[in-house]
Every structure is written in C-alpha cells, then in structure tokens.
Amino acid sequence: MSDPQIFSVVQVPILGQLGEDTEIIESRTCSTCNAAPLQEIDYLHYLFDYWEGQLLVGVAQSFIVAEDLRNALMESDMTGFTLREMYVEYSEDYIEQPGDPDLVDFWHLSIENRIPAGSGWWTRDGVCPDCGRTRWRMNEFTTRGITRGHLDPKVPPRTVVRSGYKGWDIFYLDDPGTAVISERMRDFLLAHGVVGLEVQQAVFVETPEGL
C-alpha cells in the first residue's frame, strides 16, 4: 500500500497572543546540550487582537478551533488530537469595528503524538547522551521553510521517519517545526471553511538521516 500524502503546516492565521491565565508545563533546559525546554500547554487562554470569523487559529505551534469546527471534528473520524476547553477574549489592543462578529467559544486542538524526523528544514546533529533528545542545527533552508516553504520550490520538504507514523491525521515531529497533517485532514479543514492555511508536502524516509 502506498504512503498517504502528508503536509507540513507552514502558515495559519495568528490573530493575537497567549493570555496571562495560560498554564504551561515546562521541562528543564538540558545542562549538556542546552536544548530549550519542552513546553506543553495545560490550559490555554488566548487574547484576540481582532477576529473576522476565522475557524482555525495558530498559537505557540498549536491550534485553536472555533465551536463549529470543533463540532465537525468531533463528528469526524480524524485522529491524533484531543479538543480541550480553553478561554478566549479580546485583548486591550482590540479596536471594535462596525460589523465585527461576537467572539464564539474556541477549543484547544491538543496534538497527542511526536515522532522522529529526518533532516530537511533543519539538520540532525546527533542525540544528546544526557537528555536523549535529538539535536538540530539550523541550515540554509530553515528560515525560508518556516516563512515560505509553500512558495519556494528550492526548500526541501520536512521528512518523517516511516516507522514512527501510526496513521494519525495530525502530529508533531521531533524537529523544532510545527505540525504535520494528512491529506484528508487538509481537505477536511478546507471543506469546512478554514482560511489562511498554507502547507508544503512532506515525505517519508526509512531512517532518521532523511535526505
């Protein structure tokens, strides 16, 4: 059976910032490799600077979804996430405009799995003997991939080690990038009115060395 099509998320609407009531569980910085702490959002509080009805919004390499999209996801057979309660409000920078919609309830789309990546937007640089995490170096494609990987044909795809993938529709890689989604998740989101989603096709590899 052929591999499913998968895509690295390059852009989604970012319309505000985390609020002060957000609760983050953070690991320690490794004293050997100085790897940045891993962060897990336990409770998400989001402050909108503006909102024009977008159903999917990016925040801290994660996503929040409006009530209608949450309901559609709950009724679907999409996998790899849980939908958690959160709180949204307008920030102090919000300036009301005529016709602005009232904020609806949003839900934190919490991604459950993280699997090995090969080199692509970053280059693998071994594994730390103390914390066991993969070390990554920025390369000539890092900034271009993050900002315009969907537009620049010279940017290589992010690579996914095939043995780690269990068929989820959304998941993280162990590189510093954002989520990867399946083709059917991409099509589902677009069919349900998501705007501003930009992706670049990712590829499977057999070993962590990747390309």
Side-chain angles (χ1 to χ4, degrees), residues 7-15 54-58 62-65 69 109 147 149-151 169-170 178-200:
F7 298 87
S8 177
V9 175
V10 181
Q11 292 180 8
V12 292
I14 298 175
L15 308 179
Q54 293 89 340
L55 300 179
L56 176 73
V57 177
S62 189
F63 308 104
I64 63 175
V65 298
L69 183 55
L109 194 153
T147 59
H150 59 301
L151 298 173
D169 290 297
I170 188 168
T178 188
V180 175
I181 61 175
S182 66
E183 181 179 30
R184 72 178 198 140
M185 174 67 90
R186 181 202 63 180
D187 294 347
F188 178 91
L189 295 175
L190 295 177
H192 284 80
V194 167
V195 297
L197 173 66
E198 301 289 355
V199 299
Q200 182 210 45

Coordinates of all heavy atoms in Angstrom, one line a residue, residues 7-15 54-58 62-65 69 109 147 149-151 169-170 178-200:
F7 N 1.5 16.7 4.9 CA 1.9 18.1 4.6 C 2.3 18.8 5.9 O 1.7 18.6 7.0 CB 0.7 18.8 4.0 CG 0.2 18.3 2.7 CD1 -0.7 17.2 2.7 CD2 0.7 18.8 1.5 CE1 -1.2 16.7 1.5 CE2 0.3 18.2 0.3 CZ -0.7 17.2 0.3
S8 N 3.4 19.5 5.8 CA 3.9 20.4 6.9 C 3.1 21.7 6.9 O 3.0 22.3 5.8 CB 5.4 20.7 6.7 OG 5.8 21.5 7.8
V9 N 2.5 22.1 8.0 CA 1.8 23.3 8.1 C 2.8 24.5 8.1 O 3.7 24.5 9.0 CB 1.0 23.4 9.4 CG1 0.3 24.7 9.5 CG2 -0.1 22.3 9.3
V10 N 2.7 25.4 7.1 CA 3.6 26.5 7.0 C 3.0 27.7 7.7 O 3.6 28.4 8.5 CB 4.0 26.8 5.6 CG1 5.0 28.0 5.5 CG2 4.6 25.6 4.9
Q11 N 1.7 28.0 7.4 CA 1.1 29.2 7.9 C -0.4 28.9 8.2 O -1.1 28.1 7.6 CB 1.1 30.3 6.8 CG 2.5 30.9 6.6 CD 2.5 32.0 5.6 OE1 1.4 32.5 5.1 NE2 3.6 32.4 5.1
V12 N -0.8 29.5 9.3 CA -2.2 29.6 9.7 C -2.4 31.0 10.3 O -1.4 31.7 10.6 CB -2.7 28.6 10.7 CG1 -2.6 27.2 10.1 CG2 -1.8 28.7 12.0
P13 N -3.6 31.5 10.3 CA -3.8 32.9 10.9 C -3.4 32.9 12.4 O -3.6 32.0 13.1 CB -5.4 33.1 10.8 CG -5.8 32.1 9.7 CD -4.9 31.0 9.8
I14 N -2.6 34.0 12.7 CA -2.2 34.3 14.1 C -2.8 35.6 14.4 O -2.4 36.6 13.8 CB -0.7 34.3 14.2 CG1 -0.1 32.9 13.9 CG2 -0.3 34.7 15.6 CD1 1.4 32.8 13.9
L15 N -3.8 35.7 15.3 CA -4.6 36.8 15.5 C -4.5 37.5 16.9 O -5.3 38.3 17.2 CB -6.1 36.5 15.2 CG -6.4 35.8 13.9 CD1 -7.8 35.4 13.8 CD2 -5.9 36.6 12.7
Q54 N -12.5 33.6 11.5 CA -11.6 32.5 11.2 C -11.9 31.3 12.2 O -12.1 31.5 13.4 CB -10.1 32.9 11.3 CG -9.7 33.9 10.3 CD -9.9 35.4 10.7 OE1 -10.7 35.7 11.6 NE2 -9.1 36.3 10.1
L55 N -11.9 30.1 11.6 CA -12.3 28.9 12.4 C -11.0 28.2 12.9 O -11.2 27.4 13.9 CB -13.0 28.0 11.5 CG -14.3 28.5 10.9 CD1 -15.0 27.4 10.0 CD2 -15.3 28.9 12.0
L56 N -9.9 28.5 12.4 CA -8.6 27.8 12.8 C -7.6 28.9 13.0 O -7.3 29.7 12.1 CB -8.1 26.8 11.8 CG -6.8 26.1 12.1 CD1 -7.0 25.1 13.2 CD2 -6.2 25.4 10.8
V57 N -7.0 29.0 14.2 CA -6.0 30.0 14.5 C -4.8 29.3 15.1 O -4.9 28.4 15.9 CB -6.6 31.0 15.5 CG1 -5.6 32.0 16.0 CG2 -7.9 31.7 14.9
G58 N -3.6 29.9 14.8 CA -2.4 29.3 15.3 C -2.0 30.0 16.6 O -2.1 31.2 16.7
S62 N 0.7 25.5 18.2 CA -0.5 24.7 18.3 C -1.7 25.4 17.6 O -1.4 26.3 16.9 CB -0.8 24.5 19.8 OG -1.8 23.5 20.0
F63 N -2.9 24.9 17.8 CA -4.0 25.5 17.1 C -5.2 25.6 18.1 O -5.4 24.8 19.0 CB -4.4 24.6 15.9 CG -3.3 24.3 15.0 CD1 -2.7 23.0 15.0 CD2 -2.8 25.3 14.1 CE1 -1.6 22.8 14.2 CE2 -1.8 25.0 13.3 CZ -1.2 23.7 13.3
I64 N -6.1 26.5 17.8 CA -7.4 26.6 18.5 C -8.4 26.6 17.4 O -8.2 27.1 16.3 CB -7.5 27.8 19.4 CG1 -7.4 29.1 18.6 CG2 -6.4 27.7 20.5 CD1 -7.6 30.4 19.5
V65 N -9.6 26.0 17.7 CA -10.6 25.9 16.7 C -11.9 26.5 17.2 O -12.3 26.3 18.4 CB -10.8 24.4 16.2 CG1 -9.5 23.9 15.5 CG2 -11.2 23.5 17.3
L69 N -16.2 24.3 14.0 CA -15.1 23.4 13.5 C -14.9 22.3 14.6 O -14.7 21.1 14.2 CB -13.9 24.1 13.2 CG -12.7 23.3 12.6 CD1 -13.1 22.5 11.4 CD2 -11.5 24.2 12.3
L109 N -7.0 22.6 20.2 CA -6.7 21.4 19.5 C -5.3 20.9 19.9 O -4.3 21.3 19.5 CB -6.7 21.6 18.0 CG -6.8 20.3 17.1 CD1 -7.5 20.6 15.8 CD2 -5.4 19.7 16.8
T147 N 9.0 30.4 6.8 CA 8.2 31.6 6.3 C 7.6 31.4 4.9 O 6.5 32.0 4.7 CB 9.1 32.8 6.2 OG1 10.2 32.5 5.3 CG2 9.7 33.2 7.6
G149 N 7.9 28.1 2.9 CA 8.1 26.7 2.4 C 7.1 26.3 1.3 O 7.4 25.5 0.5
H150 N 5.9 26.9 1.4 CA 4.8 26.5 0.4 C 5.0 27.3 -0.9 O 4.3 26.9 -1.9 CB 3.5 26.9 1.0 CG 3.3 28.3 1.4 ND1 4.1 29.0 2.3 CD2 2.4 29.3 1.0 CE1 3.7 30.2 2.4 NE2 2.7 30.4 1.6
L151 N 5.9 28.2 -0.9 CA 6.1 29.0 -2.2 C 7.4 28.8 -2.8 O 7.5 29.1 -4.0 CB 5.9 30.5 -1.8 CG 4.6 31.0 -1.2 CD1 4.7 32.5 -0.8 CD2 3.5 30.8 -2.2
D169 N -3.9 11.8 11.7 CA -4.2 12.9 10.8 C -3.5 14.2 11.1 O -3.4 15.1 10.3 CB -5.7 13.1 10.7 CG -6.4 11.9 10.0 OD1 -6.1 11.7 8.8 OD2 -7.2 11.3 10.7
I170 N -2.9 14.2 12.3 CA -2.1 15.4 12.7 C -1.1 14.9 13.8 O -1.5 14.1 14.7 CB -3.0 16.5 13.2 CG1 -2.2 17.8 13.5 CG2 -3.8 16.2 14.5 CD1 -3.0 19.1 13.7
T178 N 6.4 23.1 13.2 CA 5.0 23.0 13.6 C 4.5 21.6 13.1 O 5.2 20.8 12.7 CB 4.2 24.2 13.0 OG1 2.9 24.1 13.5 CG2 4.2 24.1 11.5
A179 N 3.2 21.5 13.2 CA 2.5 20.2 13.0 C 2.6 19.7 11.5 O 2.8 20.5 10.6 CB 1.1 20.2 13.4
V180 N 2.4 18.4 11.4 CA 2.2 17.8 10.1 C 0.8 17.2 10.0 O 0.3 16.7 11.0 CB 3.3 16.6 9.8 CG1 3.0 15.9 8.5 CG2 4.7 17.2 9.8
I181 N 0.1 17.4 8.9 CA -1.2 16.9 8.7 C -1.4 16.0 7.5 O -0.6 16.1 6.6 CB -2.2 18.1 8.6 CG1 -2.0 18.9 7.4 CG2 -2.3 18.9 9.9 CD1 -3.0 20.0 7.1
S182 N -2.3 15.1 7.6 CA -2.6 14.2 6.5 C -3.4 15.0 5.4 O -3.9 16.0 5.6 CB -3.5 13.0 6.9 OG -4.8 13.5 7.3
E183 N -3.4 14.4 4.2 CA -4.1 15.0 3.1 C -5.6 15.1 3.4 O -6.2 16.1 3.1 CB -3.9 14.1 1.8 CG -4.7 14.7 0.6 CD -4.4 13.8 -0.6 OE1 -4.2 12.6 -0.5 OE2 -4.4 14.4 -1.7
R184 N -6.1 14.1 4.1 CA -7.6 14.1 4.4 C -7.9 15.2 5.5 O -8.9 15.8 5.4 CB -8.1 12.7 4.7 CG -7.7 12.2 6.1 CD -8.4 10.8 6.3 NE -8.4 10.5 7.7 CZ -9.4 9.9 8.3 NH1 -10.5 9.6 7.7 NH2 -9.3 9.6 9.6
M185 N -6.9 15.4 6.4 CA -7.1 16.5 7.3 C -7.1 17.8 6.6 O -7.9 18.7 6.9 CB -6.1 16.4 8.4 CG -6.1 17.6 9.4 SD -7.6 17.7 10.4 CE -7.1 16.8 11.9
R186 N -6.1 18.0 5.7 CA -6.1 19.3 4.9 C -7.4 19.5 4.2 O -8.0 20.6 4.2 CB -4.9 19.2 3.9 CG -4.7 20.5 3.1 CD -4.0 20.2 1.8 NE -4.7 19.2 0.9 CZ -4.2 18.8 -0.2 NH1 -3.1 19.3 -0.7 NH2 -5.0 18.0 -1.0
D187 N -7.8 18.4 3.5 CA -9.1 18.6 2.7 C -10.3 18.8 3.6 O -11.2 19.6 3.3 CB -9.3 17.3 1.9 CG -8.2 17.2 0.8 OD1 -7.5 18.1 0.5 OD2 -8.1 16.1 0.2
F188 N -10.3 18.2 4.8 CA -11.4 18.4 5.7 C -11.4 19.8 6.2 O -12.5 20.4 6.2 CB -11.2 17.4 6.9 CG -12.2 17.6 8.0 CD1 -13.4 16.8 8.0 CD2 -12.1 18.5 9.0 CE1 -14.3 16.9 9.0 CE2 -13.0 18.6 10.0 CZ -14.1 17.8 10.0
L189 N -10.3 20.4 6.6 CA -10.3 21.7 7.1 C -10.7 22.7 6.0 O -11.5 23.6 6.3 CB -8.9 22.1 7.6 CG -8.4 21.3 8.8 CD1 -6.9 21.6 9.1 CD2 -9.2 21.5 10.0
L190 N -10.2 22.5 4.8 CA -10.6 23.4 3.7 C -12.1 23.3 3.4 O -12.8 24.3 3.2 CB -9.8 23.2 2.5 CG -8.3 23.4 2.6 CD1 -7.5 23.0 1.3 CD2 -8.0 24.9 3.0
A191 N -12.6 22.1 3.4 CA -14.0 21.9 3.1 C -14.9 22.5 4.2 O -16.1 22.8 3.9 CB -14.3 20.4 3.0
H192 N -14.4 22.7 5.4 CA -15.2 23.2 6.5 C -14.9 24.7 6.7 O -15.2 25.2 7.8 CB -15.0 22.4 7.8 CG -15.7 21.1 7.7 ND1 -15.2 20.0 7.1 CD2 -16.9 20.7 8.3 CE1 -16.1 19.0 7.2 NE2 -17.1 19.4 7.9
G193 N -14.4 25.4 5.8 CA -14.3 26.8 5.8 C -13.1 27.4 6.4 O -13.0 28.6 6.7
V194 N -12.0 26.6 6.6 CA -10.8 27.2 7.1 C -10.1 28.0 6.1 O -10.0 27.6 4.9 CB -9.8 26.0 7.6 CG1 -8.4 26.5 7.9 CG2 -10.4 25.4 8.9
V195 N -9.6 29.2 6.4 CA -8.9 30.1 5.5 C -7.5 30.4 6.1 O -7.3 30.2 7.3 CB -9.7 31.4 5.3 CG1 -11.0 31.1 4.7 CG2 -9.9 32.1 6.6
G196 N -6.6 30.7 5.2 CA -5.3 31.1 5.6 C -4.4 29.9 5.9 O -3.3 30.1 6.5
L197 N -4.8 28.7 5.6 CA -3.9 27.5 5.8 C -3.0 27.3 4.6 O -3.5 27.2 3.5 CB -4.8 26.3 6.0 CG -4.1 24.9 6.1 CD1 -3.2 24.9 7.3 CD2 -5.1 23.8 6.0
E198 N -1.7 27.3 4.8 CA -0.7 27.1 3.8 C 0.2 25.9 4.2 O 0.6 25.8 5.4 CB 0.2 28.3 3.6 CG -0.6 29.6 3.2 CD -1.2 29.5 1.7 OE1 -0.9 28.5 1.0 OE2 -1.9 30.4 1.4
V199 N 0.4 25.0 3.3 CA 1.2 23.8 3.6 C 2.2 23.5 2.5 O 2.1 24.0 1.4 CB 0.2 22.5 3.7 CG1 -0.8 22.7 4.9 CG2 -0.5 22.2 2.4
Q200 N 3.2 22.7 2.9 CA 4.2 22.1 2.0 C 4.2 20.6 2.1 O 4.2 20.1 3.3 CB 5.6 22.7 2.2 CG 6.7 22.2 1.2 CD 8.0 22.1 1.9 OE1 8.2 21.6 3.0 NE2 9.1 22.5 1.1

